[in-house]
């Protein structure tokens, strides 16, 4: 997975353009058209209005270059490729044959159908038969050496021409400029059109005034690589989109930013943005916190302090795991829908008490937890005068008791009673407790128990989309968002729309780009663009970032118009390719191009991750135990690091064993799911050798078509329980072609993906040399969770938490890229390289 071939673009265009950097200039300035910047492939097939090969038309349909030619010296300086016979600049004739096009001379004007066109005019350009006209900006007029008149257009993309096609509800007047350009016969021009450039973050009323009389408006740049949408320069910057802003593109993928070199000099650069203080993260659908944990570690390594201030998930055990490992986080065990409703009510309460806009440091010493019950003087009573409210200790949005209504509720600590007697009471029944409500809101506002718009810097999360699962027989292909099981993608975007963070990161399975033509992935990208966020989409393989598993996932970045859009970190490790992305999104896989040189670490295998762990049996029941052996690999040394060491902070007082500083304390969660007696007996019969599975058991034959069948010469072996050693479901799984049931992993293999269930009936999860399934900790290591990360819940529940998590090293690499973007030390390139040896680097000290 170190490199990838160029695949088909996600759009309807036939071939991807090899886009090049272009410089934004004023209309009267000369355009830098060096060979490095030239487009070399045609991607849009235009249809000349005349079927004749000659440009000459009758007087009514005059089509010719107009005015005086550009002086030779100026023409050769501005368009050198047109005069250099070694240039690769090409176009397509009417017969679609791709040829080199050279110029005799250039012009600044042309006359088509009686209308005069100038350089940088916008025009409708004839597309293929039966297709709507294209929209392009004219950047070149010239007379070819074949005595024909030509023009070059830089294309605008309509929403339906981009990766959000079919899933975005964007304004039909909104189009996106690109660096894609190609040359065609002059008579392909249809008519003039008026495209207005506006800033992406301009006030809505101002924007409406500016675009009210135009044909189209443009506020973003679109690039095919990684389906990228970027802000155009601010209107008051003195620049225009003639021809374009400085934008990285497919050409830049071949020379990504070297972050290791950037980090060496970032403290001495005088033109860099100053580092910000602590930034806040909200983790939605957080699970046990794999995504936000990795993001914060990676950002810290880049020199940015990112803290997960809030997290939300429906799984109570996962919430407890996150809270245990991140005591600094406000963890809420509720649905994201209820969380969003609560945020809106919380804002109203803060406005009621005039808190919004107030500096929290000036609110005085307010802390509900410091107020003792016996010190509450004016506690309120209910109508029965039997109970008195001492204070409020929580707030949520949900169902009212004994009612179908839903609304705001407070958790009440009753005077004279302890926490075990706390109850949730609707706000409507607390009308006599105004002072207590105000105290709670003031304290909560000061301590950030809930965010209001403007408080959150980063929102991350992986909204579950169970409606696309292959296990769902009733999937809605025609309208995926009407399926309640896919509703969380909409809810996630609604939270983003309400809180308006600076950065957004969405994670999901690759199926969101496969199911229903990739509708859900396109929808997420389109919602970000609709909300005026910059955005890009990529797919990352966990094994490429130092894990012994493949696990490809989709990641979508979003960034506020005034921020740098984070890039994707290029792989650090080679990995064995398993499966692949949807054909339409082949170009979105984060990988080196085949033409690039890349010095990658060898792919990790199972032994790199777990060979140092203590021997345990199927019946192990301890939740913690000593390590016994020192680490044997660099992966094991890093995974044993303390929390401070993981973030690049060296610590003292650590024992040193083998290579580097390690933590020889307790090992958590190294216990397996205990198999029942029958399955345990089956596992004990599976040979301890590479590739072993149920097919190695007596009585099973494998035919030439790889289908298993019973051996008629062998009597069926029974277990002590009377059940067969080889169960029928193993023989019939995937019509007898699967070798997964009761399969053993092996030391030199890369695992396909960590799963949420530990049953060996249809997946390869047996330990190579021990008669058991992989333990919770072994799975956690395959996901990159540090050994200090302790989980809460039943054994099955802990497997689910680990299997559902985002691989920590992937999130860590993304967090590092995010930190670079926050500091403004990345360009618009969609890819960046991680420092050599990442993540075993020292954190950049705060300035």
């Amino acid at each position: 997975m170190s490199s990838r071939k160029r695949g088909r673009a996600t759009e309807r265009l036939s071939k991807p353009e090899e886009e090049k950097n272009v410089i934004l200039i004023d209309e009267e300035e000369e355009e830098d058209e060096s060979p490095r910047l030239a487009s070399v492939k045609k991607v849009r097939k235009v249809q000349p209005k005349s079927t004749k090969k000659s440009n000459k038309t009758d007087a009514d349909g005059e089509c010719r270059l107009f005015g005086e030619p550009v002086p030779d010296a100026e023409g050769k300086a501005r368009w050198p490729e047109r005069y250099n016979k070694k240039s690769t600049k090409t176009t397509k004739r009417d017969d679609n044959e791709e040829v080199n096009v050279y110029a005799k001379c250039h012009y600044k004007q042309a006359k088509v159908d009686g209308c005069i066109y100038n350089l940088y005019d916008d025009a409708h350009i004839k597309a293929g038969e039966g297709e709507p006209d294209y929209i392009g900006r004219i950047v070149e007029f010239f007379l070819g050496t074949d005595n024909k008149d030509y023009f070059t257009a830089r294309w605008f993309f309509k929403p339906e021409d981009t990766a959000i096609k079919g899933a975005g509800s964007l304004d039909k007047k909104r189009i996106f400029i690109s660096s894609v350009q190609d040359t065609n016969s002059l008579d392909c021009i249809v008519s003039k059109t008026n495209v207005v450039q506006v800033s992406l973050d301009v006030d809505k009323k101002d924007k409406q005034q500016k675009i009210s009389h135009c044909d189209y408006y443009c506020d973003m740049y679109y690039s095919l690589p990684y389906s990228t949408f970027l802000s155009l320069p601010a209107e008051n910057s003195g620049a225009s989109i003639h021809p374009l802003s400085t934008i990285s593109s497919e050409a830049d993928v071949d020379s990504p930013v070297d972050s290791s070199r950037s980090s060496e000099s970032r403290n001495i650069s005088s033109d860099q943005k100053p580092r910000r203080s602590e930034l806040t993260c909200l983790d939605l659908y957080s699970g046990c916190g794999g995504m936000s944990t990795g993001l914060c570690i990676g950002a810290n390594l880049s020199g940015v302090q990112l803290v997960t201030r809030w997290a939300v998930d429906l799984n109570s055990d996962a919430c407890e795991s996150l809270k245990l490992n991140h005591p600094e986080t406000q963890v809420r065990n509720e649905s994201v829908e209820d969380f969003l409703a609560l945020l809106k009510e919380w804002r109203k309460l803060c406005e009621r008490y005039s808190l919004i806009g107030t500096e929290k440091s000036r609110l005085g010493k307010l802390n509900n937890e410091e107020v003792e019950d016996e010190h509450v003087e004016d506690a309120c009573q209910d109508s029965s005068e039997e109970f008195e409210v001492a204070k409020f200790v929580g707030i949520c949005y949900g169902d009212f008791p004994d009612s179908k209504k839903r609304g705001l509720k407070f958790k009440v600590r009753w005077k004279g009673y302890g926490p075990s007697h706390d109850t949730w009471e609707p706000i409507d029944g607390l009308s006599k407790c105004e002072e207590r409500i105000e105290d709670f809101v003031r304290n909560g506002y000061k301590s950030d128990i809930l965010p209001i718009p403007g408080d959150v810097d980063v929102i991350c999360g992986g909204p579950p989309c169970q409606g696309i699962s292959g296990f769902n027989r009733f999937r809605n292909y025609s309208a995926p968002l009407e399926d309640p099981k896919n509703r969380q993608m909409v809810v996630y975007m609604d939270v983003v729309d309400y809180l308006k963070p600076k950065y957004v990161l969405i994670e999901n399975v690759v199926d969101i780009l496969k199911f229903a033509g990739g509708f859900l992935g396109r929808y997420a990208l389109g919602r970000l663009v609709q909300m005026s966020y910059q955005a890009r989409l990529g797919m990352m393989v966990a094994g490429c970032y130092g894990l012994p598993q493949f696990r490809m996932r989709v990641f979508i970045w979003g960034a506020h118009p005034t921020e740098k859009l984070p890039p994707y970190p290029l792989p650090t490790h080679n990995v064995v390719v398993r499966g692949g992305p949807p054909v339409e999104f082949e170009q979105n896989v984060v990988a080196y191009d085949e033409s690039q040189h890349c010095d990658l670490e060898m792919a990790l295998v199972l032994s790199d991750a777990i060979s140092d762990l203590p021997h345990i049996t199927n019946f192990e029941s301890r939740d913690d135990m000593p390590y016994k052996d020192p680490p044997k690999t660099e992966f094991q040394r890093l995974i044993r690091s303390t929390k401070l060491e993981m973030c690049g902070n060296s610590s003292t007082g650590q024992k040193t064993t083998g290579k580097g500083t390690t933590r020889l304390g307790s090992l958590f969660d190294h216990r397996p799911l205990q198999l029942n007696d029958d399955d345990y007996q089956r596992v004990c019969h599976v040979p301890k050798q590479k590739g072993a599975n149920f097919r190695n058991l007596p009585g099973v034959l494998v035919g030439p078509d790889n289908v298993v069948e019973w051996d008629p010469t062998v009597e069926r072996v029974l277990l002590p329980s009377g059940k067969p050693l080889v169960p029928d479901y193993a023989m019939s799984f995937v019509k007898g072609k699967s070798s997964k049931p009761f399969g053993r992993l092996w030391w030199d293999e890369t695992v396909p993906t960590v799963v949420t269930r530990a049953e060996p009936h249809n997946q390869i999860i047996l330990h190579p040399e021990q008669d058991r399934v992989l333990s919770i900790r072994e799975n956690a290591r395959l996901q990159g969770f540090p050994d200090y990360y302790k989980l809460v819940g039943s054994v099955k529940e802990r497997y689910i938490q680990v299997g559902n998590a985002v691989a920590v090293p992937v999130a860590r690499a993304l967090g590092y890229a995010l930190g670079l973007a926050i500091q403004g030390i990345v360009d618009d390139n969609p890819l960046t390289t991680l420092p050599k040896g990442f993540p075993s680097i020292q954190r950049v000290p705060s300035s």
Side-chain angles (χ1 to χ4, degrees):
M1 204 60 206
S2 60
S3 62
R4 55 111 187 274
K5 294 182 179 180
R6 292 291 185 208
R8 282 181 286 177
T10 61
E11 292 70 27
R12 66 180 173 85
L13 309 181
S14 58
K15 290 188 292 184
E17 168 72 4
E18 292 190 15
E19 300 175 65
K20 304 295 176 181
N21 265 354
V22 288
I23 309 301
L24 184 140
I25 61 174
D26 290 327
E27 185 170 352
E28 59 272 11
E29 291 181 354
E30 291 189 356
E31 181 181 354
D32 180 4
E33 285 283 338
S34 63
R36 179 180 64 86
L37 307 183
S39 299
V40 298
K41 287 185 180 179
K42 175 179 171 59
V43 298
R44 291 193 163 186
K45 179 182 178 181
V46 298
Q47 181 67 44
K49 292 180 290 183
S50 170
T51 58
K52 300 177 182 180
K53 291 190 176 181
S54 171
N55 289 132
K56 296 179 180 179
T57 61
D58 56 36
D60 293 333
E62 189 176 17
C63 178
R64 62 184 177 85
L65 297 172
F66 188 77
E68 295 296 323
V70 173
D72 286 348
E74 180 184 346
K76 291 179 180 179
R78 295 181 65 174
W79 298 282
E81 315 75 23
R82 296 298 183 192
Y83 302 91
N84 182 359
K85 297 299 183 181
K86 296 181 181 180
S87 171
T88 59
K89 195 137 190 172
T90 62
T91 191
K92 286 188 177 180
R93 296 289 187 89
D94 296 344
D95 57 6
N96 291 326
E97 179 185 358
E98 202 164 285
V99 296
N100 292 332
V101 179
Y102 302 108
K104 282 187 175 181
C105 60
H106 275 79
Y107 287 76
K108 293 185 177 181
Q109 291 181 313
K111 194 172 186 179
V112 179
D113 295 336
C115 179
I116 296 178
Y117 292 81
N118 297 297
L119 282 178
Y120 307 121
D121 277 350
D122 302 315
H124 286 117
I125 298 164
K126 184 66 176 175
E129 191 66 34
E131 296 182 12
D133 292 337
Y134 296 130
I135 306 167
R137 172 151 293 160
I138 300 170
V139 295
E140 185 182 22
F141 290 118
F142 68 95
L143 175 64
T145 53
D146 57 359
N147 291 318
K148 294 186 180 298
D149 298 341
Y150 294 97
F151 77 103
T152 300
R154 180 158 288 139
W155 302 113
F156 289 96
F157 280 60
K158 300 173 185 176
E160 58 267 27
D161 295 329
T162 70
I164 62 178
K165 63 180 180 181
S169 56
L170 299 183
D171 187 342
K172 294 186 180 300
K173 292 176 65 173
R174 189 180 186 186
I175 57 178
F176 309 95
I177 191 71
S178 76
S179 64
V180 180
Q181 66 177 46
D182 49 327
T183 301
N184 285 280
S185 172
L186 190 62
D187 60 359
C188 293
I189 296 176
V190 176
S191 62
K192 279 190 178 182
T193 188
N194 180 24
V195 180
V196 172
Q197 178 185 353
V198 293
S199 295
L200 188 57
D201 60 341
V202 72
D203 180 81
K204 289 185 178 179
K205 290 184 179 179
D206 290 343
K207 177 176 282 189
Q208 287 302 319
Q209 289 180 348
K210 292 179 180 180
I211 68 175
S212 59
H213 300 297
C214 67
D215 297 319
Y216 303 96
Y217 69 92
C218 176
D219 57 6
M220 298 189 86
Y221 169 91
Y222 180 67
S223 178
L224 296 178
Y226 302 95
S227 307
T228 300
F229 295 83
L230 291 172
S231 293
L232 290 173
E235 293 168 281
N236 60 3
S237 65
S240 66
I241 49 174
H242 300 292
L244 275 178
S245 58
T246 303
I247 296 292
S248 60
S249 58
E250 189 166 341
D252 300 312
V253 175
D254 297 329
S255 55
V257 174
D258 188 341
S259 300
S260 60
R261 289 195 296 271
S262 299
S263 60
E264 291 173 1
S265 61
R266 66 184 65 155
N267 286 325
I268 60 174
S269 176
S270 60
D271 59 351
Q272 289 173 4
K273 294 181 182 179
R275 284 204 185 93
R276 305 181 185 187
S277 57
E278 178 182 291
L279 300 181
T280 59
C281 176
L282 165 61
D283 192 350
L284 298 176
Y285 312 96
S286 61
C288 63
M291 190 173 188
S292 54
T293 294
L295 277 179
C296 292
I297 291 174
N300 196 293
L301 289 170
S302 77
V304 171
Q305 187 177 2
L306 178 66
V307 176
T308 305
R309 187 63 63 204
W310 308 275
V312 185
D313 199 89
L314 261 179
N315 186 310
S316 58
D317 288 325
C319 287
E320 290 301 317
S321 294
L322 198 156
K323 191 182 302 182
L324 177 65
N325 293 281
H326 297 280
E328 73 281 3
T329 303
Q330 296 278 351
V331 183
R332 301 194 63 88
N333 178 209
E334 61 195 347
S335 72
V336 176
E337 293 98 323
D338 285 347
F339 177 70
L340 177 56
L342 174 61
L343 294 183
K344 294 176 180 178
E345 294 298 326
W346 179 251
R347 182 177 185 176
K348 293 177 184 177
L349 288 172
C350 292
E351 290 173 343
R352 180 197 296 183
Y353 301 115
S354 303
L355 295 174
I356 293 180
T358 304
E359 290 185 23
K360 297 177 182 180
S361 60
R362 298 175 60 187
L363 290 178
K365 187 176 182 180
L366 295 170
N367 190 329
N368 264 334
E369 298 303 321
E370 295 175 359
V371 180
E372 299 296 337
D373 291 351
E374 59 267 27
H375 293 248
V376 178
E377 297 178 356
D378 55 349
C380 47
Q381 290 181 280
D382 71 355
S383 59
S384 67
E385 299 187 356
E386 292 180 358
F387 300 99
E388 292 185 12
V389 175
K391 59 181 177 180
F392 298 126
V393 293
I395 187 171
C396 75
Y397 189 95
D399 297 325
F400 289 164
D402 304 321
S403 172
K404 294 182 179 180
K405 291 179 60 179
R406 294 172 59 78
L408 197 61
K409 299 190 294 185
F410 286 91
K411 193 173 187 180
V412 178
R413 177 73 45 82
W414 299 102
K415 188 173 183 180
Y417 293 87
S420 62
H421 292 87
D422 292 349
T423 61
W424 287 99
E425 304 294 334
I427 190 172
D428 293 347
L430 300 170
S431 58
K432 297 181 180 180
C433 301
E434 183 67 23
E435 187 174 347
R436 286 290 153 260
I437 293 176
E438 182 176 355
D439 286 346
F440 178 84
V441 174
R442 285 181 172 274
N443 294 335
Y445 178 78
K446 182 181 180 182
S447 58
D448 288 324
I449 64 168
L450 289 167
I452 59 175
D455 281 351
V456 182
D457 294 297
V458 181
I459 291 182
C460 69
C465 298
Q466 297 167 336
I468 65 177
S469 170
F471 295 103
N472 180 5
R473 293 185 300 163
F474 306 102
R475 293 186 290 179
N476 190 334
Y477 287 88
S478 60
L481 291 180
E482 293 181 7
D483 187 339
K485 294 182 178 180
N486 294 330
R487 177 68 184 170
Q488 295 309 307
M489 182 67 81
V490 178
V491 175
Y492 182 97
M493 304 310 300
D494 288 345
V495 176
V496 171
D497 195 20
Y498 180 72
L499 288 175
K500 294 179 172 53
K502 295 181 177 68
Y503 302 94
V504 180
L505 180 60
I506 306 169
E507 177 268 349
N508 225 295
V509 295
V510 177
D511 278 352
I512 69 167
L513 300 180
K514 294 180 178 179
F515 177 73
F519 181 89
L520 290 177
R522 299 182 195 277
Y523 168 80
L525 197 67
R527 273 294 300 270
L528 287 172
V529 174
Q530 184 183 38
M531 294 185 290
S532 294
Y533 276 85
Q534 303 172 90
R536 61 169 46 113
L537 183 152
M539 283 170 280
M540 299 173 67
V541 174
C544 292
Y545 301 89
L547 283 179
Q549 69 160 324
F550 184 71
R551 197 181 185 92
M552 181 183 287
R553 292 293 185 266
V554 175
F555 292 91
I556 300 176
W557 275 123
H560 188 271
T562 60
E563 306 294 335
K564 281 289 187 181
L565 182 61
Y568 293 109
L570 279 162
T572 56
H573 290 69
N574 214 330
V575 73
V576 177
V577 176
R578 296 174 182 266
V583 173
E584 278 194 286
F585 290 92
E586 284 178 341
Q587 280 199 318
N588 292 71
V589 177
V590 178
Y592 283 92
D593 187 72
E594 284 187 327
S595 63
Q596 290 177 263
H597 170 74
C598 50
D599 183 17
L600 298 177
E601 301 288 340
M602 292 180 60
L604 296 187
V605 293
L606 187 64
S607 63
D608 292 316
I610 69 169
S611 61
D612 64 319
L613 294 177
H615 184 286
I616 58 173
T617 70
N618 177 63
F619 308 100
E620 179 60 62
S621 60
R622 291 174 294 173
D623 280 326
D624 60 83
M625 63 183 67
Y627 276 99
K628 294 185 178 180
D629 295 327
K632 300 177 181 179
T633 66
E634 177 64 18
F635 177 95
Q636 294 166 12
R637 183 199 68 78
L638 180 65
I639 212 75
R640 292 192 187 196
S641 299
T642 65
K643 194 170 185 178
L644 285 175
E645 292 171 326
M646 193 65 70
C647 292
N649 294 283
S650 59
S651 59
T652 58
Q654 301 294 319
K655 296 180 180 180
T656 301
T657 304
K659 183 179 179 181
T661 301
T662 62
R663 183 174 61 90
L664 294 177
S666 292
L667 176 65
F668 304 123
D669 303 312
H670 185 39
R671 56 182 296 190
L673 176 71
Q674 185 172 326
L675 302 173
N676 62 45
D677 290 342
D678 290 337
D679 283 344
Y680 177 63
Q681 291 293 329
R682 289 166 179 140
V683 169
C684 290
H685 280 80
V686 176
K688 295 176 177 62
Q689 64 187 41
K690 185 173 181 178
N693 54 65
F694 82 99
R695 295 182 174 205
N696 296 90
L697 300 179
V700 180
L701 291 178
V702 181
D705 55 356
N706 194 38
V707 176
V708 293
E709 58 186 36
W710 298 111
D711 187 342
T713 66
V714 176
E715 185 177 352
R716 196 165 185 183
V717 179
L718 300 180
L719 298 171
S721 66
K723 294 182 179 180
L725 173 63
V726 181
D728 291 338
Y729 61 76
M731 298 291 289
S732 61
F733 186 60
V734 194
K735 298 181 178 180
K737 294 183 178 181
S738 176
S739 58
K740 290 183 177 180
F742 297 95
R744 283 197 187 277
L745 296 164
W746 203 246
W747 295 115
D748 62 354
E749 294 177 338
T750 297
V751 179
T753 189
V754 173
V755 294
T756 57
R757 295 181 301 107
E759 289 88 358
H761 304 147
N762 57 5
Q763 49 198 355
I764 304 174
I765 57 170
L766 298 185
H767 189 279
E769 296 177 346
Q770 299 170 29
D771 292 323
R772 60 175 178 84
V773 297
L774 291 186
S775 71
I776 301 166
R777 178 51 53 190
E778 287 165 337
N779 269 11
R781 280 197 171 185
L782 295 179
Q783 283 280 64
F785 276 98
D787 280 0
Y788 67 73
Y789 214 90
K790 190 173 183 179
L791 300 169
V792 175
S794 67
V795 171
K796 284 188 176 182
E797 178 56 40
R798 282 180 268 177
Y799 275 106
I800 291 172
Q801 292 175 41
V802 171
N804 281 334
V806 172
V808 174
V810 176
R812 181 174 58 206
L814 286 164
Y816 190 87
L818 171 64
L820 298 181
I822 290 171
Q823 296 170 85
I825 53 177
V826 295
D827 56 19
D828 292 320
N829 197 304
L831 301 175
T832 189
T833 54
L834 293 167
K836 187 69 175 177
F838 183 86
S840 298
I841 60 174
Q842 289 297 310
R843 180 180 65 84
V844 179
S846 300
S847 57

